[in-house]
Amino acid sequence: MKTDTIFYQLFQTFPSLLFELIGESPSLAGNYAFSSGEIKELARRVDGIFLPLTEDPNSLIYFVEVQFQPKPDFYWRLFAEIAIYLNQYQPPNDWRAVAIFAARNLDPGVPMQYRAFLASQQLHQVYLDELEVNTTSTLGLGIVRLVVADQPAAINLARSLITTTRESVADAAARQKIMELLERILIYKFTELPTKEIEAMFTLEDLKKTRVYQEAKAEGEIKGKIEGKIEGKIEGKIEGKIEGKIEGKQETIPLLLEAG
């Protein structure tokens, strides 16, 4: 799954999600702007940066990095990127790093050279497979749980989240944005299923209107037409050859009979 894109959209849609994940008040999100910060020296981008909207030096900068695959040098790269960013922009604020792992076993462990960041709580680790999601959880946390859920659990969870979105999100534009995000996650998780099967599984009009679904459907229709043309040409050639052979034999038989 393209987790960088998914989580970038998640934090854009639910800025309060970061603070929920690290046990802070979701209301803090109102004081921040979320972006994907560029580090020029490395020609790379940090997955996400929450920058304070005010010049209050007491407000922290949050560097967010999401990891869904084994990466032994994860912390080396993370702290190097943060150090270069701080040198590049020299902000007046203190900072905090949030490392989000799909599962605890993907955490390679903080190198002893950076243990001070762990001791000072300047590094916060989140393991998505250990999130406790219940009926009182927010929609954002539910979507995060969908990202890491196995396929059987994802089906029921997706239905529940879509129903919750329909019932609890009054703004039509926001509701459509969340539906598109849910659909994108489902398409990534169920890559082996054709679009029609996903449609049958989640027979939801809201879902069918999303841009991702329409693009996938259009792509499938184009692919189907191309394959149909190719199959038609192949079948036509085969049938033509067979008919030609039969006609040829039928014309030859009277000549052979006359010749005895």
Side-chain angles (χ1 to χ4, degrees), residues 46 112 117 119 136-138 156 171 175-176 179 188 190-192 199 202 207 212 225 228 230 237 247 255 257:
V46 179
M112 66 175 186
F117 292 131
T136 61
S137 296
T138 63
N156 292 329
D171 182 78
R175 184 169 60 250
Q176 189 72 7
M179 287 292 188
Y188 287 157
F190 295 93
T191 52
E192 76 282 2
E199 177 185 359
F202 303 102
L207 193 61
V212 179
K225 288 180 180 178
I230 293 172
K237 288 182 178 179
E247 289 176 1
L255 297 174
L257 289 172

Side-chain angles (χ1 to χ4, degrees), residues 55-86:
E55 296 182 357
D56 181 6
N58 294 318
S59 297
L60 297 176
I61 296 174
Y62 289 90
F63 295 95
V64 184
E65 197 75 17
V66 181
Q67 194 60 35
F68 269 60
Q69 300 293 332
K71 193 173 185 180
D73 64 343
F74 174 82
Y75 288 110
W76 293 100
R77 293 174 63 88
L78 173 61
F79 291 121
E81 289 169 358
I82 292 173
I84 293 174
Y85 180 93
L86 294 175

Side-chain angles (χ1 to χ4, degrees), residues 103-144:
R104 184 179 290 272
N105 60 9
L106 292 175
D107 186 345
V110 179
M112 66 175 186
Q113 292 85 348
Y114 293 118
R115 63 187 180 278
F117 292 131
L118 192 59
S120 65
Q121 298 184 342
Q122 210 155 4
L123 169 67
H124 191 108
Q125 296 140 311
V126 177
Y127 306 109
L128 298 181
D129 64 330
E130 299 177 8
L131 282 180
E132 293 185 6
V133 180
N134 49 49
T135 55
T136 61
S137 296
T138 63
L139 186 57
L141 282 176
I143 295 176
V144 169

Side-chain angles (χ1 to χ4, degrees), residues 214-240:
Q214 294 300 332
E215 288 175 356
K217 186 175 181 181
E219 183 180 342
E221 289 176 353
I222 292 171
K223 184 180 178 183
K225 288 180 180 178
I226 293 172
E227 290 176 350
K229 287 183 178 180
I230 293 172
E231 289 175 2
K233 287 182 178 179
I234 293 172
E235 289 176 1
K237 288 182 178 179
I238 293 172
E239 290 175 359

Side-chain angles (χ1 to χ4, degrees), residues 13-54:
T13 306
F14 303 100
S16 61
L17 178 59
L18 170 73
F19 302 97
E20 292 181 80
L21 289 173
I22 63 176
E24 299 284 355
S25 172
S27 63
L28 288 174
N31 302 324
Y32 285 85
F34 172 71
S35 65
S36 178
E38 183 180 2
I39 302 174
K40 296 178 182 177
E41 285 86 344
L42 297 179
R44 294 189 71 246
R45 302 184 75 87
V46 179
D47 282 351
I49 300 177
F50 282 79
L51 292 172
L53 292 172
T54 66

